[in-house]
Amino acid sequence: MSREAQVRFCERRGVRFPPPTLPLVMCRSKGQAVAALARLTALLADLGLEPKAAKTRIVHLTVGGEGVDFLGFHHRLVRSRATRGTGTVVYLARWPSRKAEQHARDRIQFMTMRARLAAPVEQVVQEINLFLRGWAGYFRYGNSARSFDKIRRYALMRLALFIAKTA
């Protein structure tokens, strides 16, 4: 489907446009990364767009380095722990970003706020379970066990406080 047809389709039905695509380009060297950024800038300029300077950066992934946040995940190069008879392996690990974890805490807090004390506890528990199931389904790929444990403990604490306030 051409871009024009999609624009007409969305405008006719009053549908919002999807958010812009967030590209992530991985290169082997800094020279390749600079060239890729120049090429991407040229391609976007042909479309009348430009990359946002505050969000565009070149990151050198190293073990123990800063890493990069992309699509809710934090990606970082890490070294595996040595097991008996084997050496260590360097791999790209990913887990939920701090922003994604904060969003989950904010959402749980919203679902268990004081203004909802009149709602049945079963309904609140069902909403929290539905949210956590979806959140865990998205972030299950990668090294997310610690984040899951933190969010689970936070949800239990908020739910316990909510139930205590209703009694």
Side-chain angles (χ1 to χ4, degrees), residues 77-125:
L77 236 87
V78 296
R79 186 178 309 276
S80 68
R81 286 183 275 179
T83 56
R84 211 172 335 138
T86 62
T88 60
V89 177
V90 175
Y91 64 98
L92 187 64
R94 65 178 176 257
W95 53 84
S97 66
R98 287 192 176 129
K99 187 176 177 182
E101 288 180 5
Q102 185 60 50
H103 176 264
R105 284 191 294 271
D106 292 344
R107 183 77 185 268
I108 292 167
Q109 184 179 9
F110 176 77
M111 286 188 260
T112 58
M113 65 184 180
R114 273 186 189 270
R116 300 214 46 211
L117 286 175
V121 175
E122 294 81 13
Q123 178 186 352
V124 173
V125 170

Side-chain angles (χ1 to χ4, degrees):
M1 179 182 282
S2 73
R3 172 176 278 184
E4 292 79 20
Q6 180 152 1
V7 168
R8 275 187 259 122
F9 173 79
C10 290
E11 288 173 351
R12 186 175 44 204
R13 293 199 167 49
V15 177
R16 285 181 22 181
F17 289 104
T21 303
L22 304 171
L24 175 68
V25 179
M26 297 185 81
C27 302
R28 293 190 181 275
S29 68
K30 186 171 183 170
Q32 286 180 343
V34 170
L37 181 59
R39 178 74 176 133
L40 182 63
T41 304
L43 287 172
L44 290 174
D46 291 343
L47 298 172
L49 303 170
E50 63 183 48
K52 191 170 185 175
K55 293 186 176 185
T56 304
R57 61 192 177 114
I58 296 176
V59 176
H60 181 68
L61 290 178
T62 58
V63 176
E66 65 178 298
V68 63
D69 287 346
F70 186 68
L71 296 178
F73 283 97
H74 180 74
H75 301 267
R76 185 184 296 173
L77 236 87
V78 296
R79 186 178 309 276
S80 68
R81 286 183 275 179
T83 56
R84 211 172 335 138
T86 62
T88 60
V89 177
V90 175
Y91 64 98
L92 187 64
R94 65 178 176 257
W95 53 84
S97 66
R98 287 192 176 129
K99 187 176 177 182
E101 288 180 5
Q102 185 60 50
H103 176 264
R105 284 191 294 271
D106 292 344
R107 183 77 185 268
I108 292 167
Q109 184 179 9
F110 176 77
M111 286 188 260
T112 58
M113 65 184 180
R114 273 186 189 270
R116 300 214 46 211
L117 286 175
V121 175
E122 294 81 13
Q123 178 186 352
V124 173
V125 170
Q126 188 176 22
E127 290 173 8
I128 291 174
N129 282 340
L130 188 64
F131 170 73
L132 290 177
R133 192 176 308 125
W135 198 81
Y138 181 77
F139 287 109
R140 71 179 171 180
Y141 301 102
N143 313 80
S144 304
R146 274 191 201 143
S147 297
F148 287 169
D149 189 46
K150 284 195 280 187
I151 297 299
R152 183 186 63 82
R153 280 187 278 130
Y154 182 76
L156 282 172
M157 186 259 314
R158 289 294 301 185
L159 198 55
L161 289 172
F162 183 82
I163 292 170
K165 291 174 190 170
T166 59

